[in-house]
Amino acid sequence: MTSHSGLNPQLTPKKAITIRFQRIAIIGYIGLLLLMPLWLFLLEPREGHSNGFIFVVYILPLLLPLKGIIQDKPYTYAWANFIVMFYFIHGFTLLWVAQEQLIWVVLELLFASMMFIGCTYYARRRGQELGLKIQKLKDELATEKAAHEFDNKD
């Protein structure tokens, strides 16, 4: 993402809808961050898996976007959706194989959905407010081609 407007994120006010999407994202994120360790370590411990394995596979991925979310970076909200896909897959798989844990699975899917929707629309709206955008591939290729042709003239 590149900034074309030079707007300061701290000085650029957020619209009400942007704040609403950010809250949805954060509720989903914190929900997953609390649910997963409680569920997997205390409520329904996994037999045959070490605590280290469960931490690395199920909790550590959620910690990766923490700094960017705290710093309110729209780009972090955008790429956090790649991480939340894992929790969708996990939840939908458990719907079929672990129906006795239905309440926890439904909570996981609810929080993952909230995080996905909130992050998607927050990143989009906040990025627009700040003038951020991802350059289109064809424009990027044209820029690279022009730079390459300029270098070959020397």
Side-chain angles (χ1 to χ4, degrees):
M1 292 185 148
T2 58
S3 176
H4 295 285
S5 66
L7 296 175
N8 184 339
Q10 286 78 26
L11 300 177
T12 305
K14 294 178 187 174
K15 294 179 181 174
I17 188 74
T18 305
I19 293 169
R20 191 171 306 129
F21 283 124
Q22 184 181 27
R23 286 181 182 154
I24 292 169
I26 289 173
I27 290 168
Y29 177 69
I30 291 172
L32 280 175
L33 204 53
L34 294 174
L35 173 68
M36 298 311 289
L38 287 173
W39 176 17
L40 300 173
F41 289 131
L42 300 174
L43 302 170
E44 300 279 343
R46 298 288 188 260
E47 295 179 20
H49 297 319
S50 71
N51 287 342
F53 173 81
I54 290 173
F55 176 78
V56 168
V57 172
Y58 295 103
I59 289 111
L60 185 63
L62 284 171
L63 297 176
L64 297 175
L66 181 61
K67 181 181 177 191
I69 287 174
I70 289 171
Q71 293 175 341
D72 194 21
K73 296 187 176 200
Y75 191 74
T76 301
Y77 282 82
W79 66 256
N81 279 335
F82 292 110
I83 292 170
V84 83
M85 287 297 117
F86 170 76
Y87 298 92
F88 278 121
I89 293 168
H90 180 255
F92 283 122
T93 301
L94 289 182
L95 278 177
W96 292 103
V97 299
Q99 294 176 349
E100 68 281 358
Q101 298 180 30
L102 186 61
I103 184 71
W104 311 121
V105 173
V106 169
L107 282 173
E108 179 183 23
L109 290 171
L110 174 70
F111 290 138
S113 297
M114 289 176 72
M115 184 177 167
F116 182 79
I117 291 166
C119 284
T120 299
Y121 289 103
Y122 176 73
R124 181 178 184 191
R125 291 192 174 269
R126 187 63 179 155
Q128 289 171 345
E129 291 170 358
L130 296 173
L132 303 175
K133 69 177 190 174
I134 296 174
Q135 191 174 14
K136 291 184 180 178
L137 181 60
K138 69 176 187 168
D139 296 337
E140 190 173 324
L141 291 173
T143 303
E144 286 180 17
K145 182 178 177 184
H148 181 70
E149 289 172 355
F150 180 76
D151 289 342
N152 285 339
K153 289 181 182 180
D154 293 336

